[in-house]
Amino acid sequence: MHSPRRPPPPLPAGSLRPYRPITPLRVGAALGALFVVLLVLVSTGWAPLLTLDGRLADGLHPVATGHRGWTHAMRVLSDWLWDPWTMRAALAVTALWLLRRREGVLALWIAVTSLLGTALQQGLKAAVGRDRPSWPDPVATARYQAFPSGHALTATVACGLLVWLLWLHGAGSRWVRGASAAAVVSVAGVGFTRVYLGVHWLSDVVGGCLLGGALVAVSAGAYARAAGRSGAAAGSGSGSGSGSGERPRKDSRK
């Protein structure tokens, strides 16, 4: 018979680090760091990245020119459903809804985050100055510079903020999961249509998604901190004097 296996000896006190959940600010910092790495690679013209961008573009363009019906559908999705102005309009309607609910601070937070995304996008495009793909027989055209993709960035910011608002207002898990799935499909679809139509390189799209995700995560984390501080200040200013913000319990004894 085998002797019973002894349990491992306990670890000495203080040997384990306390568990710290991943916060939105940490996620934003990680995504921002990845974007900076990609920005450096694009700006310095890193050959492996440019080769990957070129091969994917060269492979998709003959498909786009040879399947006009499919390409027309991609243009409708890119120019209407997932257009940056459509995404901004969705956020504007959401901000008005928040104002009607007397959530002016949150409405302003959404508007500022959206405007900051647009400003970052335009500023980086001008600073990097990357040319878009050029074709003798283009199936679509676009203005301004290429990096980062404005469609991808705006879709990521809009979809990310809408999912965050659902979660913030206590929507059921099914709603949040469904909205998250729709957001992933939309952002991925935006990226695919821009590369398929030959108006962006793959790295442009990835850069837009990384920067948009970082902006949403930092905005959500900053809002949580600001709301927490205001809640703590309100609690400390209450008549209980405990600073916990907890309502005093009534004495059940008569």
Side-chain angles (χ1 to χ4, degrees), residues 33-85:
L34 291 175
F35 173 78
V36 170
V37 172
L38 182 60
L39 173 62
V40 171
L41 296 178
V42 170
S43 300
T44 57
W46 192 49
L49 179 64
L50 300 184
T51 300
L52 175 62
D53 283 340
R55 287 180 177 176
L56 183 60
D58 291 339
L60 284 177
H61 186 67
V63 180
T65 56
H67 298 78
R68 293 292 179 176
W70 179 251
T71 300
H72 177 72
M74 293 295 102
R75 290 196 60 176
V76 170
L77 290 173
S78 181
D79 296 342
W80 293 96
L81 179 62
W82 292 325
D83 183 77
W85 286 108

mmCIF file of all heavy atoms in Angstrom, residues 33-85:
data_model
loop_
_atom_site.group_PDB
_atom_site.id
_atom_site.type_symbol
_atom_site.label_atom_id
_atom_site.label_comp_id
_atom_site.label_asym_id
_atom_site.label_seq_id
_atom_site.Cartn_x
_atom_site.Cartn_y
_atom_site.Cartn_z
ATOM 1 N N ALA A 33 1.777 51.230 -24.719
ATOM 2 C CA ALA A 33 3.169 50.839 -24.951
ATOM 3 C C ALA A 33 3.316 50.075 -26.259
ATOM 4 O O ALA A 33 4.272 50.295 -27.027
ATOM 5 C CB ALA A 33 3.675 49.994 -23.778
ATOM 6 N N LEU A 34 2.362 49.182 -26.545
ATOM 7 C CA LEU A 34 2.397 48.449 -27.812
ATOM 8 C C LEU A 34 2.252 49.398 -28.996
ATOM 9 O O LEU A 34 2.904 49.228 -30.034
ATOM 10 C CB LEU A 34 1.292 47.396 -27.838
ATOM 11 C CG LEU A 34 1.464 46.212 -26.892
ATOM 12 C CD1 LEU A 34 0.228 45.309 -26.930
ATOM 13 C CD2 LEU A 34 2.706 45.400 -27.258
ATOM 14 N N PHE A 35 1.388 50.403 -28.830
ATOM 15 C CA PHE A 35 1.229 51.371 -29.918
ATOM 16 C C PHE A 35 2.522 52.138 -30.156
ATOM 17 O O PHE A 35 2.892 52.399 -31.305
ATOM 18 C CB PHE A 35 0.097 52.343 -29.602
ATOM 19 C CG PHE A 35 -0.010 53.460 -30.595
ATOM 20 C CD1 PHE A 35 -0.603 53.249 -31.828
ATOM 21 C CD2 PHE A 35 0.516 54.725 -30.308
ATOM 22 C CE1 PHE A 35 -0.687 54.275 -32.764
ATOM 23 C CE2 PHE A 35 0.439 55.746 -31.235
ATOM 24 C CZ PHE A 35 -0.164 55.524 -32.459
ATOM 25 N N VAL A 36 3.205 52.530 -29.093
ATOM 26 C CA VAL A 36 4.458 53.269 -29.246
ATOM 27 C C VAL A 36 5.494 52.432 -29.983
ATOM 28 O O VAL A 36 6.221 52.927 -30.856
ATOM 29 C CB VAL A 36 4.989 53.716 -27.872
ATOM 30 C CG1 VAL A 36 6.402 54.274 -27.981
ATOM 31 C CG2 VAL A 36 4.067 54.772 -27.259
ATOM 32 N N VAL A 37 5.558 51.130 -29.655
ATOM 33 C CA VAL A 37 6.484 50.237 -30.359
ATOM 34 C C VAL A 37 6.150 50.198 -31.849
ATOM 35 O O VAL A 37 7.035 50.310 -32.711
ATOM 36 C CB VAL A 37 6.435 48.825 -29.749
ATOM 37 C CG1 VAL A 37 7.238 47.841 -30.606
ATOM 38 C CG2 VAL A 37 6.984 48.842 -28.327
ATOM 39 N N LEU A 38 4.856 50.030 -32.157
ATOM 40 C CA LEU A 38 4.446 49.992 -33.561
ATOM 41 C C LEU A 38 4.726 51.321 -34.250
ATOM 42 O O LEU A 38 5.150 51.354 -35.420
ATOM 43 C CB LEU A 38 2.959 49.642 -33.654
ATOM 44 C CG LEU A 38 2.382 49.507 -35.066
ATOM 45 C CD1 LEU A 38 3.101 48.416 -35.848
ATOM 46 C CD2 LEU A 38 0.886 49.218 -35.009
ATOM 47 N N LEU A 39 4.499 52.412 -33.547
ATOM 48 C CA LEU A 39 4.762 53.741 -34.101
ATOM 49 C C LEU A 39 6.238 53.892 -34.479
ATOM 50 O O LEU A 39 6.566 54.412 -35.556
ATOM 51 C CB LEU A 39 4.362 54.808 -33.087
ATOM 52 C CG LEU A 39 4.709 56.259 -33.426
ATOM 53 C CD1 LEU A 39 3.995 56.712 -34.692
ATOM 54 C CD2 LEU A 39 4.362 57.172 -32.253
ATOM 55 N N VAL A 40 7.117 53.411 -33.618
ATOM 56 C CA VAL A 40 8.551 53.492 -33.900
ATOM 57 C C VAL A 40 8.909 52.642 -35.114
ATOM 58 O O VAL A 40 9.677 53.061 -35.988
ATOM 59 C CB VAL A 40 9.363 53.063 -32.668
ATOM 60 C CG1 VAL A 40 10.844 52.934 -33.004
ATOM 61 C CG2 VAL A 40 9.166 54.061 -31.534
ATOM 62 N N LEU A 41 8.331 51.437 -35.194
ATOM 63 C CA LEU A 41 8.635 50.553 -36.322
ATOM 64 C C LEU A 41 8.157 51.152 -37.639
ATOM 65 O O LEU A 41 8.852 51.075 -38.662
ATOM 66 C CB LEU A 41 7.992 49.184 -36.097
ATOM 67 C CG LEU A 41 8.500 48.374 -34.904
ATOM 68 C CD1 LEU A 41 7.743 47.063 -34.792
ATOM 69 C CD2 LEU A 41 9.996 48.123 -35.019
ATOM 70 N N VAL A 42 6.972 51.757 -37.619
ATOM 71 C CA VAL A 42 6.450 52.377 -38.833
ATOM 72 C C VAL A 42 7.280 53.606 -39.213
ATOM 73 O O VAL A 42 7.628 53.807 -40.383
ATOM 74 C CB VAL A 42 4.969 52.756 -38.650
ATOM 75 C CG1 VAL A 42 4.476 53.623 -39.802
ATOM 76 C CG2 VAL A 42 4.114 51.496 -38.542
ATOM 77 N N SER A 43 7.601 54.429 -38.222
ATOM 78 C CA SER A 43 8.333 55.663 -38.505
ATOM 79 C C SER A 43 9.742 55.395 -39.029
ATOM 80 O O SER A 43 10.250 56.153 -39.867
ATOM 81 C CB SER A 43 8.410 56.518 -37.234
ATOM 82 O OG SER A 43 7.118 56.847 -36.768
ATOM 83 N N THR A 44 10.364 54.322 -38.531
ATOM 84 C CA THR A 44 11.732 54.001 -38.963
ATOM 85 C C THR A 44 11.756 53.107 -40.196
ATOM 86 O O THR A 44 12.838 52.790 -40.698
ATOM 87 C CB THR A 44 12.494 53.317 -37.827
ATOM 88 O OG1 THR A 44 11.791 52.132 -37.394
ATOM 89 C CG2 THR A 44 12.650 54.261 -36.640
ATOM 90 N N GLY A 45 10.576 52.691 -40.675
ATOM 91 C CA GLY A 45 10.515 51.859 -41.872
ATOM 92 C C GLY A 45 11.122 50.481 -41.675
ATOM 93 O O GLY A 45 11.908 50.022 -42.509
ATOM 94 N N TRP A 46 10.742 49.809 -40.582
ATOM 95 C CA TRP A 46 11.272 48.482 -40.282
ATOM 96 C C TRP A 46 10.909 47.520 -41.414
ATOM 97 O O TRP A 46 9.731 47.317 -41.723
ATOM 98 C CB TRP A 46 10.722 47.992 -38.954
ATOM 99 C CG TRP A 46 11.395 46.772 -38.407
ATOM 100 C CD1 TRP A 46 12.725 46.561 -38.266
ATOM 101 C CD2 TRP A 46 10.735 45.594 -37.930
ATOM 102 N NE1 TRP A 46 12.960 45.320 -37.713
ATOM 103 C CE2 TRP A 46 11.759 44.705 -37.506
ATOM 104 C CE3 TRP A 46 9.403 45.204 -37.815
ATOM 105 C CZ2 TRP A 46 11.480 43.448 -36.970
ATOM 106 C CZ3 TRP A 46 9.112 43.960 -37.270
ATOM 107 C CH2 TRP A 46 10.144 43.102 -36.865
ATOM 108 N N ALA A 47 11.891 46.930 -42.046
ATOM 109 C CA ALA A 47 11.678 46.158 -43.274
ATOM 110 C C ALA A 47 10.714 44.991 -43.119
ATOM 111 O O ALA A 47 9.835 44.803 -43.972
ATOM 112 C CB ALA A 47 13.030 45.672 -43.808
ATOM 113 N N PRO A 48 10.825 44.147 -42.069
ATOM 114 C CA PRO A 48 9.866 43.032 -41.962
ATOM 115 C C PRO A 48 8.418 43.490 -41.879
ATOM 116 O O PRO A 48 7.524 42.846 -42.449
ATOM 117 C CB PRO A 48 10.309 42.331 -40.667
ATOM 118 C CG PRO A 48 11.754 42.652 -40.540
ATOM 119 C CD PRO A 48 11.887 44.050 -41.041
ATOM 120 N N LEU A 49 8.173 44.610 -41.189
ATOM 121 C CA LEU A 49 6.801 45.107 -41.091
ATOM 122 C C LEU A 49 6.311 45.611 -42.440
ATOM 123 O O LEU A 49 5.179 45.317 -42.855
ATOM 124 C CB LEU A 49 6.737 46.232 -40.057
ATOM 125 C CG LEU A 49 5.361 46.880 -39.855
ATOM 126 C CD1 LEU A 49 4.367 45.869 -39.308
ATOM 127 C CD2 LEU A 49 5.470 48.087 -38.928
ATOM 128 N N LEU A 50 7.150 46.352 -43.148
ATOM 129 C CA LEU A 50 6.753 46.850 -44.462
ATOM 130 C C LEU A 50 6.530 45.711 -45.451
ATOM 131 O O LEU A 50 5.626 45.775 -46.297
ATOM 132 C CB LEU A 50 7.829 47.806 -44.999
ATOM 133 C CG LEU A 50 8.128 49.042 -44.155
ATOM 134 C CD1 LEU A 50 9.133 49.934 -44.873
ATOM 135 C CD2 LEU A 50 6.858 49.814 -43.836
ATOM 136 N N THR A 51 7.326 44.664 -45.336
ATOM 137 C CA THR A 51 7.155 43.499 -46.208
ATOM 138 C C THR A 51 5.816 42.820 -45.950
ATOM 139 O O THR A 51 5.102 42.445 -46.886
ATOM 140 C CB THR A 51 8.306 42.504 -46.001
ATOM 141 O OG1 THR A 51 9.552 43.145 -46.310
ATOM 142 C CG2 THR A 51 8.127 41.288 -46.895
ATOM 143 N N LEU A 52 5.476 42.656 -44.671
ATOM 144 C CA LEU A 52 4.191 42.042 -44.331
ATOM 145 C C LEU A 52 3.037 42.886 -44.844
ATOM 146 O O LEU A 52 2.072 42.364 -45.424
ATOM 147 C CB LEU A 52 4.094 41.867 -42.818
ATOM 148 C CG LEU A 52 2.764 41.337 -42.283
ATOM 149 C CD1 LEU A 52 2.476 39.944 -42.826
ATOM 150 C CD2 LEU A 52 2.769 41.330 -40.748
ATOM 151 N N ASP A 53 3.112 44.197 -44.624
ATOM 152 C CA ASP A 53 2.062 45.093 -45.125
ATOM 153 C C ASP A 53 1.915 44.970 -46.644
ATOM 154 O O ASP A 53 0.795 44.883 -47.173
ATOM 155 C CB ASP A 53 2.396 46.541 -44.762
ATOM 156 C CG ASP A 53 2.102 46.863 -43.307
ATOM 157 O OD1 ASP A 53 1.316 46.140 -42.688
ATOM 158 O OD2 ASP A 53 2.674 47.845 -42.801
ATOM 159 N N GLY A 54 3.043 44.976 -47.352
ATOM 160 C CA GLY A 54 3.005 44.925 -48.808
ATOM 161 C C GLY A 54 2.462 43.615 -49.346
ATOM 162 O O GLY A 54 1.675 43.605 -50.300
ATOM 163 N N ARG A 55 2.853 42.504 -48.742
ATOM 164 C CA ARG A 55 2.375 41.208 -49.219
ATOM 165 C C ARG A 55 0.875 41.057 -49.026
ATOM 166 O O ARG A 55 0.171 40.536 -49.907
ATOM 167 C CB ARG A 55 3.121 40.088 -48.497
ATOM 168 C CG ARG A 55 4.572 39.905 -48.939
ATOM 169 C CD ARG A 55 5.237 38.779 -48.178
ATOM 170 N NE ARG A 55 6.608 38.552 -48.650
ATOM 171 C CZ ARG A 55 7.448 37.683 -48.111
ATOM 172 N NH1 ARG A 55 7.060 36.942 -47.068
ATOM 173 N NH2 ARG A 55 8.671 37.548 -48.601
ATOM 174 N N LEU A 56 0.373 41.498 -47.883
ATOM 175 C CA LEU A 56 -1.071 41.393 -47.647
ATOM 176 C C LEU A 56 -1.841 42.289 -48.610
ATOM 177 O O LEU A 56 -2.869 41.874 -49.171
ATOM 178 C CB LEU A 56 -1.386 41.772 -46.202
ATOM 179 C CG LEU A 56 -2.851 41.638 -45.788
ATOM 180 C CD1 LEU A 56 -3.327 40.196 -45.946
ATOM 181 C CD2 LEU A 56 -3.057 42.099 -44.349
ATOM 182 N N ALA A 57 -1.366 43.503 -48.811
ATOM 183 C CA ALA A 57 -2.044 44.410 -49.736
ATOM 184 C C ALA A 57 -2.014 43.870 -51.165
ATOM 185 O O ALA A 57 -3.031 43.909 -51.880
ATOM 186 C CB ALA A 57 -1.391 45.794 -49.672
ATOM 187 N N ASP A 58 -0.858 43.350 -51.586
ATOM 188 C CA ASP A 58 -0.746 42.806 -52.947
ATOM 189 C C ASP A 58 -1.619 41.572 -53.129
ATOM 190 O O ASP A 58 -2.098 41.305 -54.237
ATOM 191 C CB ASP A 58 0.714 42.449 -53.238
ATOM 192 C CG ASP A 58 1.593 43.691 -53.353
ATOM 193 O OD1 ASP A 58 1.044 44.776 -53.604
ATOM 194 O OD2 ASP A 58 2.823 43.563 -53.165
ATOM 195 N N GLY A 59 -1.833 40.819 -52.061
ATOM 196 C CA GLY A 59 -2.675 39.636 -52.175
ATOM 197 C C GLY A 59 -4.165 39.947 -52.213
ATOM 198 O O GLY A 59 -4.934 39.248 -52.881
ATOM 199 N N LEU A 60 -4.587 41.012 -51.514
ATOM 200 C CA LEU A 60 -6.014 41.331 -51.452
ATOM 201 C C LEU A 60 -6.488 42.172 -52.629
ATOM 202 O O LEU A 60 -7.664 42.073 -53.018
ATOM 203 C CB LEU A 60 -6.317 42.084 -50.150
ATOM 204 C CG LEU A 60 -6.369 41.252 -48.873
ATOM 205 C CD1 LEU A 60 -6.607 42.146 -47.657
ATOM 206 C CD2 LEU A 60 -7.479 40.198 -48.958
ATOM 207 N N HIS A 61 -5.614 42.988 -53.190
ATOM 208 C CA HIS A 61 -6.072 43.893 -54.248
ATOM 209 C C HIS A 61 -6.621 43.155 -55.471
ATOM 210 O O HIS A 61 -7.682 43.562 -55.996
ATOM 211 C CB HIS A 61 -4.948 44.833 -54.670
ATOM 212 C CG HIS A 61 -5.394 45.873 -55.634
ATOM 213 N ND1 HIS A 61 -6.279 46.879 -55.295
ATOM 214 C CD2 HIS A 61 -5.097 46.071 -56.962
ATOM 215 C CE1 HIS A 61 -6.504 47.637 -56.344
ATOM 216 N NE2 HIS A 61 -5.808 47.180 -57.366
ATOM 217 N N PRO A 62 -6.003 42.081 -55.969
ATOM 218 C CA PRO A 62 -6.611 41.363 -57.098
ATOM 219 C C PRO A 62 -7.975 40.790 -56.769
ATOM 220 O O PRO A 62 -8.853 40.714 -57.645
ATOM 221 C CB PRO A 62 -5.595 40.257 -57.394
ATOM 222 C CG PRO A 62 -4.301 40.756 -56.853
ATOM 223 C CD PRO A 62 -4.666 41.546 -55.647
ATOM 224 N N VAL A 63 -8.187 40.405 -55.509
ATOM 225 C CA VAL A 63 -9.514 39.912 -55.108
ATOM 226 C C VAL A 63 -10.528 41.041 -55.165
ATOM 227 O O VAL A 63 -11.666 40.856 -55.627
ATOM 228 C CB VAL A 63 -9.442 39.311 -53.690
ATOM 229 C CG1 VAL A 63 -10.809 38.798 -53.256
ATOM 230 C CG2 VAL A 63 -8.410 38.191 -53.628
ATOM 231 N N ALA A 64 -10.130 42.223 -54.697
ATOM 232 C CA ALA A 64 -11.053 43.359 -54.698
ATOM 233 C C ALA A 64 -11.423 43.792 -56.112
ATOM 234 O O ALA A 64 -12.582 44.129 -56.388
ATOM 235 C CB ALA A 64 -10.428 44.529 -53.935
ATOM 236 N N THR A 65 -10.453 43.780 -57.024
ATOM 237 C CA THR A 65 -10.751 44.182 -58.399
ATOM 238 C C THR A 65 -11.505 43.109 -59.170
ATOM 239 O O THR A 65 -12.210 43.420 -60.138
ATOM 240 C CB THR A 65 -9.447 44.504 -59.139
ATOM 241 O OG1 THR A 65 -8.571 43.367 -59.069
ATOM 242 C CG2 THR A 65 -8.769 45.713 -58.517
ATOM 243 N N GLY A 66 -11.382 41.872 -58.765
ATOM 244 C CA GLY A 66 -12.035 40.784 -59.492
ATOM 245 C C GLY A 66 -13.410 40.416 -58.987
ATOM 246 O O GLY A 66 -14.108 39.644 -59.630
ATOM 247 N N HIS A 67 -13.816 40.936 -57.835
ATOM 248 C CA HIS A 67 -15.131 40.621 -57.258
ATOM 249 C C HIS A 67 -15.833 41.931 -56.924
ATOM 250 O O HIS A 67 -15.837 42.379 -55.771
ATOM 251 C CB HIS A 67 -14.989 39.749 -56.009
ATOM 252 C CG HIS A 67 -14.358 38.421 -56.266
ATOM 253 N ND1 HIS A 67 -12.990 38.262 -56.426
ATOM 254 C CD2 HIS A 67 -14.914 37.182 -56.403
ATOM 255 C CE1 HIS A 67 -12.722 36.978 -56.640
ATOM 256 N NE2 HIS A 67 -13.869 36.306 -56.636
ATOM 257 N N ARG A 68 -16.403 42.563 -57.941
ATOM 258 C CA ARG A 68 -16.982 43.892 -57.779
ATOM 259 C C ARG A 68 -18.171 43.909 -56.814
ATOM 260 O O ARG A 68 -18.361 44.866 -56.069
ATOM 261 C CB ARG A 68 -17.417 44.431 -59.145
ATOM 262 C CG ARG A 68 -16.237 44.704 -60.087
ATOM 263 C CD ARG A 68 -15.406 45.861 -59.593
ATOM 264 N NE ARG A 68 -14.245 46.133 -60.455
ATOM 265 C CZ ARG A 68 -13.415 47.145 -60.276
ATOM 266 N NH1 ARG A 68 -13.596 47.979 -59.265
ATOM 267 N NH2 ARG A 68 -12.379 47.323 -61.088
ATOM 268 N N GLY A 69 -18.978 42.867 -56.838
ATOM 269 C CA GLY A 69 -20.128 42.830 -55.936
ATOM 270 C C GLY A 69 -19.698 42.791 -54.479
ATOM 271 O O GLY A 69 -20.219 43.537 -53.632
ATOM 272 N N TRP A 70 -18.751 41.944 -54.166
ATOM 273 C CA TRP A 70 -18.223 41.849 -52.807
ATOM 274 C C TRP A 70 -17.536 43.156 -52.408
ATOM 275 O O TRP A 70 -17.681 43.622 -51.268
ATOM 276 C CB TRP A 70 -17.265 40.673 -52.728
ATOM 277 C CG TRP A 70 -16.611 40.459 -51.397
ATOM 278 C CD1 TRP A 70 -15.317 40.665 -51.087
ATOM 279 C CD2 TRP A 70 -17.243 39.988 -50.201
ATOM 280 N NE1 TRP A 70 -15.074 40.362 -49.771
ATOM 281 C CE2 TRP A 70 -16.238 39.941 -49.194
ATOM 282 C CE3 TRP A 70 -18.539 39.601 -49.879
ATOM 283 C CZ2 TRP A 70 -16.503 39.512 -47.900
ATOM 284 C CZ3 TRP A 70 -18.804 39.187 -48.565
ATOM 285 C CH2 TRP A 70 -17.807 39.141 -47.609
ATOM 286 N N THR A 71 -16.819 43.752 -53.348
ATOM 287 C CA THR A 71 -16.131 45.003 -53.054
ATOM 288 C C THR A 71 -17.128 46.130 -52.791
ATOM 289 O O THR A 71 -16.914 46.976 -51.913
ATOM 290 C CB THR A 71 -15.212 45.378 -54.225
ATOM 291 O OG1 THR A 71 -14.244 44.327 -54.412
ATOM 292 C CG2 THR A 71 -14.495 46.682 -53.969
ATOM 293 N N HIS A 72 -18.244 46.130 -53.533
ATOM 294 C CA HIS A 72 -19.277 47.143 -53.285
ATOM 295 C C HIS A 72 -19.841 46.993 -51.873
ATOM 296 O O HIS A 72 -20.082 48.001 -51.178
ATOM 297 C CB HIS A 72 -20.399 47.020 -54.315
ATOM 298 C CG HIS A 72 -21.537 47.973 -54.083
ATOM 299 N ND1 HIS A 72 -21.434 49.336 -54.306
ATOM 300 C CD2 HIS A 72 -22.807 47.753 -53.623
ATOM 301 C CE1 HIS A 72 -22.587 49.918 -54.013
ATOM 302 N NE2 HIS A 72 -23.428 48.984 -53.586
ATOM 303 N N ALA A 73 -20.054 45.755 -51.438
ATOM 304 C CA ALA A 73 -20.547 45.530 -50.080
ATOM 305 C C ALA A 73 -19.543 46.035 -49.042
ATOM 306 O O ALA A 73 -19.919 46.629 -48.035
ATOM 307 C CB ALA A 73 -20.830 44.045 -49.872
ATOM 308 N N MET A 74 -18.268 45.821 -49.300
ATOM 309 C CA MET A 74 -17.235 46.316 -48.384
ATOM 310 C C MET A 74 -17.233 47.838 -48.318
ATOM 311 O O MET A 74 -17.038 48.433 -47.259
ATOM 312 C CB MET A 74 -15.855 45.819 -48.835
ATOM 313 C CG MET A 74 -15.641 44.323 -48.724
ATOM 314 S SD MET A 74 -15.673 43.682 -47.030
ATOM 315 C CE MET A 74 -17.339 42.983 -46.990
ATOM 316 N N ARG A 75 -17.487 48.475 -49.454
ATOM 317 C CA ARG A 75 -17.526 49.942 -49.479
ATOM 318 C C ARG A 75 -18.724 50.463 -48.701
ATOM 319 O O ARG A 75 -18.630 51.473 -48.001
ATOM 320 C CB ARG A 75 -17.549 50.451 -50.912
ATOM 321 C CG ARG A 75 -16.250 50.241 -51.667
ATOM 322 C CD ARG A 75 -16.186 51.098 -52.915
ATOM 323 N NE ARG A 75 -16.271 52.518 -52.571
ATOM 324 C CZ ARG A 75 -16.160 53.502 -53.453
ATOM 325 N NH1 ARG A 75 -15.982 53.219 -54.748
ATOM 326 N NH2 ARG A 75 -16.237 54.768 -53.088
ATOM 327 N N VAL A 76 -19.860 49.802 -48.821
ATOM 328 C CA VAL A 76 -21.047 50.232 -48.071
ATOM 329 C C VAL A 76 -20.788 50.119 -46.574
ATOM 330 O O VAL A 76 -21.111 51.039 -45.795
ATOM 331 C CB VAL A 76 -22.268 49.395 -48.487
ATOM 332 C CG1 VAL A 76 -23.449 49.666 -47.549
ATOM 333 C CG2 VAL A 76 -22.658 49.694 -49.923
ATOM 334 N N LEU A 77 -20.199 49.007 -46.153
ATOM 335 C CA LEU A 77 -19.900 48.830 -44.732
ATOM 336 C C LEU A 77 -18.910 49.879 -44.239
ATOM 337 O O LEU A 77 -19.078 50.462 -43.166
ATOM 338 C CB LEU A 77 -19.341 47.431 -44.487
ATOM 339 C CG LEU A 77 -20.314 46.265 -44.638
ATOM 340 C CD1 LEU A 77 -19.576 44.944 -44.532
ATOM 341 C CD2 LEU A 77 -21.412 46.344 -43.573
ATOM 342 N N SER A 78 -17.872 50.119 -45.034
ATOM 343 C CA SER A 78 -16.813 51.038 -44.621
ATOM 344 C C SER A 78 -17.252 52.495 -44.674
ATOM 345 O O SER A 78 -16.894 53.291 -43.795
ATOM 346 C CB SER A 78 -15.575 50.839 -45.502
ATOM 347 O OG SER A 78 -14.531 51.694 -45.125
ATOM 348 N N ASP A 79 -18.039 52.854 -45.695
ATOM 349 C CA ASP A 79 -18.400 54.256 -45.903
ATOM 350 C C ASP A 79 -19.680 54.684 -45.196
ATOM 351 O O ASP A 79 -19.937 55.894 -45.075
ATOM 352 C CB ASP A 79 -18.558 54.537 -47.407
ATOM 353 C CG ASP A 79 -17.246 54.351 -48.157
ATOM 354 O OD1 ASP A 79 -16.189 54.343 -47.511
ATOM 355 O OD2 ASP A 79 -17.295 54.203 -49.400
ATOM 356 N N TRP A 80 -20.467 53.712 -44.734
ATOM 357 C CA TRP A 80 -21.739 54.063 -44.098
ATOM 358 C C TRP A 80 -21.871 53.476 -42.694
ATOM 359 O O TRP A 80 -21.919 54.217 -41.720
ATOM 360 C CB TRP A 80 -22.914 53.601 -44.980
ATOM 361 C CG TRP A 80 -22.993 54.354 -46.272
ATOM 362 C CD1 TRP A 80 -22.488 53.990 -47.483
ATOM 363 C CD2 TRP A 80 -23.584 55.644 -46.465
ATOM 364 N NE1 TRP A 80 -22.721 54.943 -48.434
ATOM 365 C CE2 TRP A 80 -23.407 55.985 -47.839
ATOM 366 C CE3 TRP A 80 -24.253 56.534 -45.642
ATOM 367 C CZ2 TRP A 80 -23.873 57.187 -48.374
ATOM 368 C CZ3 TRP A 80 -24.710 57.734 -46.176
ATOM 369 C CH2 TRP A 80 -24.521 58.039 -47.526
ATOM 370 N N LEU A 81 -21.941 52.163 -42.581
ATOM 371 C CA LEU A 81 -22.186 51.549 -41.270
ATOM 372 C C LEU A 81 -21.048 51.829 -40.300
ATOM 373 O O LEU A 81 -21.273 52.186 -39.143
ATOM 374 C CB LEU A 81 -22.387 50.037 -41.438
ATOM 375 C CG LEU A 81 -22.633 49.254 -40.149
ATOM 376 C CD1 LEU A 81 -23.908 49.732 -39.467
ATOM 377 C CD2 LEU A 81 -22.705 47.757 -40.430
ATOM 378 N N TRP A 82 -19.797 51.658 -40.756
ATOM 379 C CA TRP A 82 -18.630 51.815 -39.881
ATOM 380 C C TRP A 82 -17.857 53.095 -40.169
ATOM 381 O O TRP A 82 -16.699 53.210 -39.787
ATOM 382 C CB TRP A 82 -17.715 50.599 -40.025
ATOM 383 C CG TRP A 82 -18.314 49.345 -39.483
ATOM 384 C CD1 TRP A 82 -19.119 49.223 -38.395
ATOM 385 C CD2 TRP A 82 -18.151 48.015 -40.001
ATOM 386 N NE1 TRP A 82 -19.473 47.914 -38.194
ATOM 387 C CE2 TRP A 82 -18.894 47.150 -39.162
ATOM 388 C CE3 TRP A 82 -17.444 47.474 -41.078
ATOM 389 C CZ2 TRP A 82 -18.952 45.782 -39.383
ATOM 390 C CZ3 TRP A 82 -17.508 46.106 -41.291
ATOM 391 C CH2 TRP A 82 -18.253 45.260 -40.452
ATOM 392 N N ASP A 83 -18.483 54.045 -40.803
ATOM 393 C CA ASP A 83 -17.815 55.313 -41.076
ATOM 394 C C ASP A 83 -17.563 56.056 -39.763
ATOM 395 O O ASP A 83 -18.378 55.974 -38.824
ATOM 396 C CB ASP A 83 -18.686 56.171 -41.989
ATOM 397 C CG ASP A 83 -18.006 57.472 -42.358
ATOM 398 O OD1 ASP A 83 -17.106 57.441 -43.217
ATOM 399 O OD2 ASP A 83 -18.377 58.515 -41.778
ATOM 400 N N PRO A 84 -16.455 56.781 -39.636
ATOM 401 C CA PRO A 84 -16.194 57.507 -38.389
ATOM 402 C C PRO A 84 -17.316 58.456 -37.984
ATOM 403 O O PRO A 84 -17.609 58.599 -36.780
ATOM 404 C CB PRO A 84 -14.899 58.274 -38.700
ATOM 405 C CG PRO A 84 -14.186 57.412 -39.695
ATOM 406 C CD PRO A 84 -15.277 56.831 -40.540
ATOM 407 N N TRP A 85 -17.953 59.094 -38.957
ATOM 408 C CA TRP A 85 -19.036 60.005 -38.598
ATOM 409 C C TRP A 85 -20.249 59.262 -38.058
ATOM 410 O O TRP A 85 -20.978 59.781 -37.197
ATOM 411 C CB TRP A 85 -19.419 60.872 -39.792
ATOM 412 C CG TRP A 85 -18.402 61.928 -40.061
ATOM 413 C CD1 TRP A 85 -17.517 61.985 -41.097
ATOM 414 C CD2 TRP A 85 -18.143 63.089 -39.258
ATOM 415 N NE1 TRP A 85 -16.713 63.096 -40.994
ATOM 416 C CE2 TRP A 85 -17.075 63.797 -39.878
ATOM 417 C CE3 TRP A 85 -18.694 63.597 -38.084
ATOM 418 C CZ2 TRP A 85 -16.571 64.984 -39.353
ATOM 419 C CZ3 TRP A 85 -18.183 64.783 -37.562
ATOM 420 C CH2 TRP A 85 -17.142 65.455 -38.193
#
